[in-house]
Amino acid sequence: MSLNSAGPIDSALMDDLVAASRILADHGVLDAWGHVSIRHPGDANRYLLSRARAPALVTADDIVEFDLDSNPIDQRDRRVFLERFIHGEVYRARPDVNAVVHSHSPAVIPFSVTQVPLRPIAHIAAFLVDGVPVFDIRDAGIERGMLVVNSAQGKALAGTLGDKPVALLRGHGNVVVGPDVRRAVLRAIYTEVNARQLATALTFDSPITYIAADEAQEAVRLDDAWEVWKRDAMKE
Amino acid sequence: MSLNSAGPIDSALMDDLVAASRILADHGVLDAWGHVSIRHPGDANRYLLSRARAPALVTADDIVEFDLDSNPIDQRDRRVFLERFIHGEVYRARPDVNAVVHSHSPAVIPFSVTQVPLRPIAHIAAFLVDGVPVFDIRDAGIERGMLVVNSAQGKALAGTLGDKPVALLRGHGNVVVGPDVRRAVLRAIYTEVNARQLATALTFDSPITYIAADEAQEAVRLDDAWEVWKRDAMKE
Amino acid sequence: MSLNSAGPIDSALMDDLVAASRILADHGVLDAWGHVSIRHPGDANRYLLSRARAPALVTADDIVEFDLDSNPIDQRDRRVFLERFIHGEVYRARPDVNAVVHSHSPAVIPFSVTQVPLRPIAHIAAFLVDGVPVFDIRDAGIERGMLVVNSAQGKALAGTLGDKPVALLRGHGNVVVGPDVRRAVLRAIYTEVNARQLATALTFDSPITYIAADEAQEAVRLDDAWEVWKRDAMKE
Amino acid sequence: MSLNSAGPIDSALMDDLVAASRILADHGVLDAWGHVSIRHPGDANRYLLSRARAPALVTADDIVEFDLDSNPIDQRDRRVFLERFIHGEVYRARPDVNAVVHSHSPAVIPFSVTQVPLRPIAHIAAFLVDGVPVFDIRDAGIERGMLVVNSAQGKALAGTLGDKPVALLRGHGNVVVGPDVRRAVLRAIYTEVNARQLATALTFDSPITYIAADEAQEAVRLDDAWEVWKRDAMKE
């Protein structure tokens, strides 16, 4: 561990971070390139993210510590994600956020490239009730295709996200945040599920009743869901 | 076992209740939060439902006995489902019902939030022939988001269900009932399958021939289906 | 073996019949209730079909011999399928047919209940080029819901099928035939695949180029496909 | 090895070729009949393709060497693919190409039979930015249904492909090429994924923002994706 490290984290939290990566891959939310991070519980200016590695393969040994400028504290020979700036800038802008997911969640893509807003129709996706902003990398300047590869682009994305739990990235995917990693995982999964369901409802050509503000409440307990998701995801 | 218990049930029936939970999870009808119950065969005023636990993980040891007010008879330290009132009030209102499923069946959500009625187009879903009412929690008063968390809400839902086998819960899922747990499972699975098929047929912009009353008959035998569903679901 | 039996069949053919059942279940063409049969190679007036049993569970011991009136030759205590008349009457009407599949193939249902014809857009489904007739049980008289449960209904269905390889059963599924069991399995799988693809193409609101008569040719070799399908299906 | 062979290839490259076949089958891009080849690294006028065999079953022992006229160098008793001419003629026409996939990629079929162009809406499919031409076998003369079974048809297809990475074959599938086999596999997978996503976006009846030329860049690293894809595909 580097002298500059904010120190080791609790093994249960590390287990959750690793499981988060595997669970999101198992649910098809993360493909071979997405990533999930947590804010360091001992230092709000640090976050933990795997080295560049397919999410389904991540283990505790792959986790690297970063500062909010997204510099690795102890990189050694480990390759890091080009898009780590998404994490750093969201943590900087959002003190309430302790976990960040960046995914290519397949069902959100159609909502990211059209004028049709992604809104919640299923209660487990009620966290989307205040709207899902869409970030267009073009507005932040193209640097490397559609990728968010520097702090300025990361800041622009964090600005689009504002105080919301989810923002879409046009033609790319989304960023999903939460107060803890389990909540961020739940949100990432049900953003995908709700997108599929809404796409079907939109073909009905009938008025849609969306979840209303007073109906929105993250009521579901996560302990049991986490247990079964983790069991399924950790099977090889 | 509590002194107040209506007594143990036959192990074959207990096996069916556990398998029901696993089968519905295996078919994607139950996610990490749905539940399935049976009426106690020895006391019509009692029902059996797992403690709050992901359906894919339920075992016989997780089953708790409840009265029709949805009080657990012998809770000990076991957490119970907030939405158990769905079960209690349906059993109270429907003497013909011996099994109840509450699910977030993904394909029914679009039908629950639009004016498009869920009607049967496939003969195994012929049990839907008399219509599928939609319950809106708002009409029963919002207490905890979209959840059914007290007897009044449960009674209102049972009232919407009426004498039907299935009711949708707007933006939430459904409740499916049957004369026995195998029949309730069949109905829950084919409500989902028929919803998917109807959603596709609706995109064709062509008149649809629904199953007619004189064509509706629950003719399929369940023994063989149960055997293969159970085999698949009990594999880890 | 009964004195009246047309005799045992080659074990390789029996293996193919059992594999056919498993393969069609593995591909989601057969649910817990469909069935596949072959004509007896030693007696054109006999066919072989499993006892009433979920297709994914069928073994050689489950195979029963029937005459073309669909009477079992040696039933013993074995329950037989109510809808065996589909097989008997198709074999009677179609000397060129040596294998019959009856399925609830999920993607064909929308085509069976609307006026949209199922036509081939993918070359492996080119066998559909002469059209897919739709049988309506109502025209044959309702006896037991939508089921084909007697010779008269079976004859009516065979009449609708005519000289085609596939007919749909309105609100029910399909019947698929072939010169041998491997060809019937191929056709059943690609009827389902083509139905899914055509449903998507229909949403494009653009003229569709269907496979033309001179493009239709069952060119694909089946040996390799059969080997991999069987390997996948026989895994438990 | 034949005296005429261009010689053995590096075992790591052979591993990649075998894995490519398995990975594309595992992702549902290749069904029981598609194929993937590489140009011989030691002789630009030779390519390596499995004998006729379901892609999910291919091993190193199945690989056969061909010249650009698609004659096998050492066929022995091995059956070869009828459509090998696709590979030979693409290698002849495209010196930049070192890997070719021919698939029945299911989601591209609707785009191949309508006037709706397949264009990229997701950044991983940005390689499609210059358009996806559609080849119609009818324009090259029908020889054996829709199949490409001789050099003239192969040349016509290569002509339609031009300098693009992907061409569709009307009512048949596609051909996907790349500078190496991993890149060709990535392109084949994300052509399929993007086709699914675009089909959904098209139902929204809203203007679609496609990936623009200056946004297109094959930025994703493949090492990690390959590792996880191969792990999943090589599991039996």
Side-chain angles (χ1 to χ4, degrees):
Chain A
M1 181 156 290
S2 159
L3 285 175
N4 291 320
S5 169
I9 64 166
D10 185 73
S11 71
L13 183 58
M14 180 60 88
D15 281 355
D16 271 11
L17 177 56
V18 169
S21 192
R22 304 287 191 100
I23 288 168
L24 290 171
D26 191 49
H27 279 75
V29 171
L30 293 185
D31 56 13
W33 300 280
H35 20 96
V36 51
S37 69
I38 56 172
R39 192 190 293 270
H40 196 296
D43 183 345
N45 293 313
R46 296 285 170 86
Y47 69 92
L48 300 162
L49 172 66
S50 81
R51 64 182 175 102
R53 183 141 179 76
L57 301 176
V58 165
T59 67
D61 287 342
D62 296 313
I63 303 302
V64 180
E65 184 180 336
F66 295 88
D67 65 25
L68 296 193
D69 294 326
S70 295
N71 298 309
I73 301 307
D74 180 26
Q75 181 166 6
R76 286 173 278 159
D77 61 346
R78 297 181 292 189
R79 196 161 48 79
V80 294
F81 284 116
L82 284 173
E83 295 198 296
R84 62 193 183 279
F85 300 94
I86 295 171
H87 301 263
E89 296 305 327
V90 168
Y91 289 119
R92 195 193 309 273
R94 289 282 296 272
D96 61 307
V97 163
N98 291 309
V100 175
V101 175
H102 168 55
S103 88
H104 302 153
S105 195
V108 308
I109 298 296
F111 293 93
S112 81
V113 299
T114 59
Q115 300 305 308
V116 177
L118 179 57
R119 296 177 58 189
I121 59 170
H123 76 308
I124 310 183
F127 55 86
L128 301 175
V129 74
D130 292 323
V132 181
V134 179
F135 173 74
D136 193 325
I137 188 77
R138 185 166 292 280
D139 299 332
I142 303 287
E143 165 96 11
R144 185 162 176 165
M146 307 290 280
L147 303 185
V148 176
V149 296
N150 59 43
S151 288
Q153 290 177 323
K155 278 184 215 298
L157 172 55
T160 299
L161 176 65
D163 61 355
K164 303 295 190 299
V166 181
L168 305 189
L169 284 71
R170 193 261 301 165
H172 183 162
N174 65 15
V175 58
V176 180
V177 303
D180 58 68
V181 71
R182 293 185 176 197
R183 192 62 50 183
V185 166
L186 172 83
R187 289 174 178 179
I189 293 173
Y190 280 89
T191 296
E192 172 74 10
V193 170
N194 187 81
R196 273 184 236 140
Q197 292 170 326
L198 180 54
T200 297
L202 286 164
T203 67
F204 287 4
D205 199 23
S206 171
I208 294 173
T209 303
Y210 294 95
I211 303 293
D214 66 335
E215 295 163 353
Q217 171 176 346
E218 283 198 59
V220 294
R221 283 184 62 96
L222 262 169
D223 302 16
D224 301 317
W226 194 262
E227 184 181 349
V228 72
W229 292 344
K230 186 174 170 181
R231 184 199 65 162
D232 290 344
M234 303 307 274
K235 283 182 211 164
E236 291 277 300
Chain B
M1 180 157 292
S2 158
L3 286 176
N4 291 320
S5 169
I9 64 166
D10 185 72
S11 71
L13 183 58
M14 180 61 88
D15 281 354
D16 270 11
L17 176 56
V18 169
S21 191
R22 304 287 191 100
I23 288 168
L24 289 170
D26 191 49
H27 278 75
V29 172
L30 293 185
D31 57 12
W33 299 281
H35 20 95
V36 49
S37 69
I38 55 172
R39 193 191 292 271
H40 196 295
D43 183 345
N45 293 313
R46 297 286 169 83
Y47 68 92
L48 300 162
L49 172 66
S50 82
R51 66 182 174 103
R53 184 140 179 75
L57 302 176
V58 165
T59 67
D61 287 342
D62 296 313
I63 304 302
V64 180
E65 184 180 336
F66 295 87
D67 64 25
L68 296 192
D69 294 326
S70 294
N71 296 310
I73 301 307
D74 180 27
Q75 181 166 8
R76 284 173 279 158
D77 60 346
R78 298 181 291 189
R79 196 161 49 77
V80 293
F81 284 117
L82 284 173
E83 295 199 297
R84 61 194 182 279
F85 301 94
I86 295 172
H87 301 263
E89 297 304 328
V90 168
Y91 288 120
R92 195 193 309 273
R94 289 281 297 272
D96 61 308
V97 163
N98 291 309
V100 175
V101 175
H102 169 55
S103 88
H104 303 153
S105 194
V108 307
I109 298 295
F111 293 92
S112 81
V113 300
T114 59
Q115 300 304 309
V116 177
L118 179 57
R119 295 178 59 191
I121 59 170
H123 76 307
I124 311 184
F127 55 85
L128 300 175
V129 75
D130 293 321
V132 181
V134 180
F135 172 74
D136 193 326
I137 189 76
R138 185 166 291 280
D139 299 332
I142 303 287
E143 166 95 11
R144 185 161 176 165
M146 307 291 278
L147 302 186
V148 175
V149 295
N150 59 44
S151 288
Q153 290 176 323
K155 279 183 215 299
L157 172 55
T160 299
L161 177 65
D163 61 354
K164 304 295 190 301
V166 180
L168 304 190
L169 284 71
R170 192 262 299 166
H172 183 161
N174 66 15
V175 58
V176 180
V177 304
D180 58 68
V181 69
R182 292 185 177 197
R183 192 62 50 181
V185 166
L186 172 83
R187 290 174 176 178
I189 293 172
Y190 280 89
T191 296
E192 173 73 10
V193 170
N194 187 80
R196 273 184 235 140
Q197 292 170 326
L198 180 54
T200 298
L202 287 164
T203 67
F204 286 5
D205 199 22
S206 171
I208 294 172
T209 303
Y210 294 96
I211 303 294
D214 66 334
E215 294 164 352
Q217 171 176 348
E218 284 199 58
V220 293
R221 282 184 61 96
L222 263 168
D223 302 17
D224 301 316
W226 194 262
E227 184 181 347
V228 71
W229 291 345
K230 186 174 170 181
R231 183 197 66 163
D232 290 344
M234 303 306 275
K235 283 182 210 162
E236 291 278 301
Chain C
M1 180 157 290
S2 158
L3 286 176
N4 291 319
S5 171
I9 64 167
D10 185 72
S11 71
L13 183 59
M14 180 60 88
D15 281 356
D16 271 10
L17 177 56
V18 169
S21 191
R22 304 287 191 99
I23 287 168
L24 289 171
D26 193 48
H27 279 76
V29 172
L30 293 185
D31 57 13
W33 299 281
H35 19 97
V36 50
S37 68
I38 55 172
R39 193 191 293 270
H40 195 297
D43 182 346
N45 294 313
R46 296 287 168 85
Y47 67 92
L48 300 162
L49 172 66
S50 82
R51 66 181 173 103
R53 184 140 178 76
L57 302 176
V58 166
T59 68
D61 288 341
D62 296 313
I63 303 302
V64 180
E65 185 180 336
F66 295 87
D67 64 25
L68 296 192
D69 294 326
S70 295
N71 297 310
I73 302 307
D74 179 27
Q75 180 165 7
R76 283 172 280 159
D77 61 346
R78 298 180 292 189
R79 196 161 48 77
V80 294
F81 284 117
L82 284 174
E83 295 198 296
R84 62 194 182 278
F85 301 93
I86 295 172
H87 302 263
E89 297 305 328
V90 168
Y91 288 120
R92 195 193 309 273
R94 289 282 296 272
D96 61 307
V97 163
N98 291 308
V100 175
V101 175
H102 168 55
S103 88
H104 303 153
S105 195
V108 307
I109 297 296
F111 293 93
S112 80
V113 299
T114 60
Q115 300 304 309
V116 177
L118 179 58
R119 295 177 59 190
I121 58 171
H123 76 309
I124 310 184
F127 54 86
L128 300 175
V129 75
D130 292 322
V132 181
V134 180
F135 172 74
D136 193 326
I137 188 75
R138 184 166 292 281
D139 299 332
I142 302 286
E143 165 97 11
R144 185 161 175 164
M146 308 289 279
L147 302 186
V148 176
V149 295
N150 58 44
S151 287
Q153 290 176 324
K155 278 183 215 299
L157 172 54
T160 299
L161 176 65
D163 62 353
K164 305 294 191 299
V166 181
L168 305 190
L169 285 70
R170 193 261 300 166
H172 183 159
N174 65 15
V175 57
V176 180
V177 303
D180 59 68
V181 70
R182 293 185 177 197
R183 191 62 50 183
V185 166
L186 172 84
R187 290 175 177 178
I189 293 172
Y190 280 89
T191 297
E192 172 74 10
V193 170
N194 187 81
R196 274 184 234 140
Q197 291 170 327
L198 179 55
T200 298
L202 287 164
T203 67
F204 286 5
D205 199 22
S206 171
I208 294 173
T209 303
Y210 294 95
I211 303 294
D214 66 334
E215 294 163 352
Q217 171 176 349
E218 284 198 61
V220 294
R221 280 185 62 95
L222 262 168
D223 303 16
D224 301 317
W226 193 262
E227 183 181 349
V228 71
W229 292 344
K230 185 175 171 181
R231 183 198 65 164
D232 291 344
M234 302 307 276
K235 282 182 210 161
E236 292 277 300
Chain D
M1 181 157 289
S2 158
L3 285 175
N4 290 320
S5 169
I9 64 166
D10 185 74
S11 70
L13 183 58
M14 180 60 88
D15 282 354
D16 270 10
L17 176 56
V18 169
S21 192
R22 305 286 191 100
I23 288 168
L24 289 171
D26 192 49
H27 279 75
V29 172
L30 292 185
D31 56 13
W33 299 280
H35 19 98
V36 50
S37 69
I38 56 172
R39 193 191 292 271
H40 196 296
D43 183 344
N45 294 313
R46 296 286 170 85
Y47 67 92
L48 299 162
L49 172 66
S50 82
R51 66 181 173 103
R53 184 141 177 77
L57 302 176
V58 166
T59 67
D61 287 342
D62 296 313
I63 304 301
V64 180
E65 185 181 336
F66 296 87
D67 65 25
L68 296 192
D69 294 326
S70 295
N71 297 308
I73 301 308
D74 180 26
Q75 181 166 6
R76 285 172 277 160
D77 60 346
R78 296 181 292 189
R79 197 162 47 79
V80 294
F81 284 116
L82 284 174
E83 296 197 296
R84 63 194 181 277
F85 301 92
I86 296 172
H87 302 263
E89 296 305 327
V90 169
Y91 289 119
R92 196 193 308 272
R94 289 281 298 271
D96 61 308
V97 163
N98 292 308
V100 175
V101 176
H102 168 55
S103 87
H104 302 153
S105 195
V108 307
I109 298 294
F111 293 93
S112 81
V113 299
T114 60
Q115 300 305 309
V116 176
L118 179 57
R119 295 178 58 192
I121 58 171
H123 76 308
I124 309 184
F127 54 85
L128 301 175
V129 74
D130 293 322
V132 181
V134 179
F135 172 74
D136 193 326
I137 188 75
R138 185 166 292 280
D139 299 332
I142 302 286
E143 165 96 11
R144 187 163 174 163
M146 308 289 279
L147 302 186
V148 176
V149 294
N150 58 44
S151 288
Q153 290 177 324
K155 278 183 214 299
L157 172 55
T160 299
L161 177 65
D163 63 354
K164 304 294 191 300
V166 180
L168 305 190
L169 284 70
R170 192 260 303 164
H172 182 160
N174 65 14
V175 57
V176 180
V177 304
D180 58 69
V181 70
R182 293 185 177 197
R183 193 60 52 181
V185 166
L186 172 82
R187 289 174 177 177
I189 293 173
Y190 280 90
T191 297
E192 172 75 10
V193 170
N194 187 81
R196 275 184 234 140
Q197 291 171 326
L198 180 55
T200 298
L202 287 164
T203 67
F204 287 5
D205 199 22
S206 171
I208 294 173
T209 303
Y210 294 95
I211 302 294
D214 66 334
E215 295 163 352
Q217 172 177 348
E218 284 198 61
V220 294
R221 282 183 61 96
L222 263 169
D223 303 15
D224 301 317
W226 193 262
E227 183 181 349
V228 71
W229 292 344
K230 186 175 170 181
R231 183 198 67 164
D232 291 344
M234 302 307 275
K235 282 182 210 163
E236 293 277 300

